[in-house]
Amino acid sequence: MTQTEEKLEAQDTPQVPIDKIVSLCKRRGFVYPNSEIYGGVAGFYDFGPLGVELRNNIRRYWWWSMVQLHDNVVGIEGATITHPRVWEASGHVENFTDTLVDCKKCKRRFRVDHLPAENLASNSCPVCGGELTEPRKFNLLMETYLGVVEGDKMKTYLRGEACQNIYLDYDNVLKSSRMQIPFGICQIGKAYRNEVTPGNFLFRQREFEQWDLQFFVHPSEMDKWFDYWKEYRFNWYKGIVNHKDRLRFHEHGKDELAHYAKKAFDIEYQTILGWQEWEGIHWRQDWDLTRHSEYSGQDLAYTDPNTKERYVPWIVETSGGVDRTFLFLLLDAYEEETDPKGDTRVVLHLHPWLAPVKCAVFPLQKNKEELVNKSKEIHRMLQRYMVCQYDDVANIGRRYRRQDEIGTPYCVTIDFQTLDDQTVTVRNRDTMEQVRVPISELTMYLLERITWK
Ligand code: ATP
């Protein structure tokens, strides 16, 4: 029989400090600081063996629900460098700036739009009270140069937002697929910004990944589709977090709205940093296609095949971040539970759909050859269908803890009873309950619980 565990009481951990997540991520191979052996570089991170699995699952789940489940949505993957005129047309060359101030005393740097009102008014540092410098503007676009001959090189930019490729490919998609308006184009891809205040781990980086849907509609249907995607995206996030009360909409006030937007909502999540944007739902009207028509000289208007009406489609945009999702999901999932003896288990209550490792297989004892052989056989059977780890190091309790800490939803233990009746013990990460499942049903038992539906 598998060793039973003491029931653990969940501690009240209202908000998890970011440091705990940073240290777990490094210790267990989710995220490493980029170029660490050279002292690191602010705003860049690398993803380790578990991080890459979690990221892939997050991306795939988004793609599944946005593209695969919608008959009127298709996907693309664009290059991260485009013609430089794109960034003039989009307004980024001129307007993609942050205004910042430095504290003359403690040398900290702040974005003016992030300063509390009282510090703005008194021109004082929110940390030490020191005097602030004059505001200075910085363009966030990262420059790069194409070509080999000095002097003939063309200056262009790493894309400051991924969605521009969608406008650039809109006409090609229309002509090469069977889409008709209303329809959408999705993309997941890297974006680069010379953020003046990178920080809070993955929250604000200089290289990060965005997911975008640009949904093209007839102007008369804009309200309807805006509401549809706004609700759809909110429910999507609600479906993958434990703390549903930490999600809310923030509606942009008149002063926050772009000039072409009638409305915009952020989906926000509450962490130790306060309420923060997770994704934006934007009313983009015909701004992007009109600008690209003007700058490229190509007519990007649409002709309705039935009514023959010709118009520039309006756009509903939903734009969020893979890295921010990664961070918020870890903050949402992290819990420390302590049993009556004072032993603590760290557990990630990640949704089983997203957990990096789906299942771990343990022989009850490492020195019993029959148990080890049977366990390896079961491991080989399962790993064809899911990410599955084999572990025979230390006692069962320790092995459970190792898996809890990385969010593995199921652990399978092979014991002496297995050799008699071909059943195994499956232990649930969240409830710690154990059930016996026949080996012949094990794959389906797990797949039913880890496959999104
Ligand atoms: P902010 O005002 O915080 O700088 P933004 O409004 O400019 O953000 P968008 O351009 O709308 O952000 O980007 C869409 C999404 O991309 C954001 O909701 C966020 O999830 C993600 N994102 C934006 N900037 C960063 C960054 N520097 N690091 C990580 N993710 C980011």
Side-chain angles (χ1 to χ4, degrees), residues 127-296:
V127 178
C128 76
E131 193 191 340
L132 299 174
T133 59
E134 283 294 307
R136 284 177 297 159
K137 281 198 164 184
F138 278 86
N139 192 295
L140 304 189
L141 282 177
M142 283 193 195
E143 294 174 4
T144 187
Y145 296 87
L146 307 180
V148 284
V149 183
E150 271 318 309
D152 283 350
K153 287 188 177 178
M154 176 164 82
K155 180 168 111 178
T156 185
Y157 308 93
L158 302 185
R159 64 182 177 192
E161 59 179 20
C163 65
Q164 289 300 324
N165 295 77
I166 298 182
Y167 313 133
L168 304 177
D169 290 337
Y170 154 80
D171 204 39
N172 279 330
V173 170
L174 206 55
K175 287 176 180 149
S176 59
S177 70
R178 304 184 62 195
M179 290 292 126
Q180 289 180 8
I181 281 177
F183 82 101
I185 304 178
C186 275
Q187 182 186 227
I188 301 179
K190 294 272 188 177
Y192 303 84
R193 294 181 188 176
N194 241 329
E195 295 278 0
V196 290
T197 52
N200 289 322
F201 196 33
L202 306 178
F203 182 78
R204 192 170 299 286
Q205 298 171 79
R206 288 172 164 152
E207 173 179 330
F208 56 97
E209 199 165 38
Q210 294 184 308
W211 49 44
D212 288 290
L213 160 75
Q214 307 291 323
F215 198 78
F216 302 87
V217 301
H218 187 278
S220 65
E221 295 210 304
M222 186 71 179
D223 267 306
K224 177 179 117 185
W225 284 108
F226 189 90
D227 291 346
Y228 172 81
W229 286 110
K230 179 179 153 229
E231 291 312 312
Y232 189 84
R233 293 304 299 149
F234 194 81
N235 288 332
W236 191 89
Y237 286 109
K238 222 160 128 186
I240 52 171
V241 295
N242 298 304
H243 302 282
K244 317 228 182 271
D245 56 329
R246 293 185 188 163
L247 276 175
R248 73 171 188 195
F249 279 121
H250 160 72
E251 182 169 9
H252 285 215
K254 289 245 168 333
D255 52 332
E256 293 172 273
L257 284 176
H259 68 272
Y260 49 82
K262 187 169 117 186
K263 47 189 171 181
F265 287 82
D266 289 340
I267 296 172
E268 293 188 333
Y269 184 76
Q270 192 185 33
T271 70
I272 198 149
L273 307 170
W275 287 98
Q276 297 288 351
E277 173 181 335
W278 196 339
E279 170 156 328
I281 321 293
H282 303 134
W283 174 293
R284 298 192 69 99
Q285 212 147 306
D286 58 353
W287 161 259
D288 307 278
L289 292 182
T290 303
R291 290 279 288 195
H292 283 302
S293 291
E294 275 169 30
Y295 277 70
S296 67

